[in-house]
Amino acid sequence: MKRSVLYIEDNEKIGSWVKEELEQRGFSVQWLLSGEGADEAVKQHEIVILDIMLPGLDGFTVGKRLKKAAPAVPILLLSARTSIDDKVEGLQFADDYLTKPFHTDELVARLEVLIRRSGGTRPERIVLADHIEVDPEAQMVYDKRTGEEIILTGKQHQILMYFLRHPNQVLPKEQIYEAIWNEAYITGDKTLMVHIRRLRQKLERYPNSPEIIETLKGIGYRVKL
């Protein structure tokens, strides 16, 4: 079951981008351009992403109404405002506050935390190539053929989870490296390639003919779900 998000954002460029990113990562998103009708829609969702700067009623007013309509549904506020007063006002009813600009990885991580805290839907286990099972909540990887846990190193685990946060996307090696090592990629560096080769040895039935981590020559890698 997909995790269900009510997203309220009047900026169409930002809204379209966030909706697309979340849907690629397994969320179901209802996007509204204003707070009109949101107090009914909120009852159908697990979490709310709410922009503060809205036409008509501002996000603070809309958020208070949503919390009254569905007290158990967590609200994540988005805003370009960074003042302490705004954050304090927002957190009187909201469960978290994220300032713009933001990275979608951080947004998704915050959503996952809020859903878990609220007792929302437990993330389903992810099956890769019929024989690998990943439990996102427990952060564990299993071989379905034996039922045994596959022990990954820290970097191997980070790389796999990064792929799973970007399913079906072609990821340039530079992007993966910089996300995992948090430093600029240097052309010709083989570090990522070595880690992926070792990760394949643990996950793939036939590491020389990978089913899970696909190489797109000259571009990067992709994991299909």
Side-chain angles (χ1 to χ4, degrees):
M1 180 183 296
K2 291 188 176 183
R3 293 150 296 174
S4 181
V5 177
L6 176 62
Y7 177 36
I8 307 172
E9 166 68 71
D10 68 309
N11 185 306
E12 294 194 22
K13 184 177 180 180
I14 294 175
S16 178
W17 167 64
V18 171
K19 184 175 187 292
E20 181 179 356
E21 287 284 331
L22 291 180
E23 288 178 340
Q24 288 180 348
R25 302 181 193 209
F27 290 87
S28 171
V29 182
Q30 180 183 359
W31 172 28
L32 302 179
L33 293 170
S34 72
E36 184 176 353
D39 50 350
E40 282 301 317
V42 68
K43 299 172 185 177
Q44 310 302 318
H45 298 282
E46 291 179 80
I47 194 164
V48 176
I49 304 173
L50 174 62
D51 184 55
I52 289 177
M53 302 297 289
L54 294 173
L57 295 176
D58 64 67
F60 292 127
T61 303
V62 172
K64 291 172 184 176
R65 291 187 176 185
L66 295 182
K67 187 57 74 171
K68 184 176 181 181
V73 177
I75 297 174
L76 171 63
L77 284 180
L78 296 180
S79 179
R81 300 180 181 181
T82 59
S83 75
I84 294 298
D85 289 343
D86 286 328
K87 291 183 179 181
V88 170
E89 182 178 356
L91 290 172
Q92 288 179 359
F93 65 88
D95 300 271
D96 202 355
Y97 191 111
L98 182 60
T99 55
K100 298 178 179 178
F102 56 87
H103 195 287
T104 49
D105 281 351
E106 181 178 5
L107 174 61
V108 169
R110 287 174 181 259
L111 291 176
E112 297 281 12
V113 168
L114 291 175
I115 290 172
R116 287 200 301 269
R117 286 178 180 171
S118 69
T121 303
R122 186 183 187 277
E124 293 184 354
R125 291 192 174 194
I126 299 168
V127 176
L128 303 172
D130 297 326
H131 68 285
I132 296 296
E133 187 172 77
V134 181
D135 184 334
E137 186 171 61
Q139 298 284 292
M140 298 176 75
V141 182
Y142 300 93
D143 187 326
K144 291 181 66 178
R145 296 166 297 183
T146 63
E148 295 181 356
E149 182 184 359
I150 297 173
I151 305 300
L152 304 180
T153 67
K155 290 301 183 190
Q156 290 168 2
H157 186 272
Q158 289 177 49
I159 292 168
L160 178 60
M161 293 303 160
Y162 190 77
F163 279 129
L164 297 181
R165 289 197 300 271
H166 301 80
N168 307 312
Q169 297 181 43
V170 178
L171 301 175
K173 58 183 180 297
E174 296 87 354
Q175 177 183 332
I176 302 169
Y177 181 90
E178 291 175 4
I180 302 301
W181 277 269
N182 198 30
E183 59 185 44
Y185 175 80
I186 298 175
T187 302
D189 191 313
K190 304 295 185 183
T191 303
L192 176 63
M193 183 180 71
V194 170
H195 278 77
I196 286 182
R197 183 174 70 241
R198 291 174 179 167
L199 182 56
R200 280 174 169 157
Q201 289 170 350
K202 294 182 178 181
L203 300 181
E204 303 281 2
R205 276 185 281 235
Y206 308 104
N208 292 329
S209 300
E211 304 169 85
I212 298 172
I213 304 174
E214 178 185 7
T215 297
L216 288 93
K217 192 171 182 179
I219 303 174
Y221 302 94
R222 174 172 58 191
V223 168
K224 291 183 179 181
L225 297 186

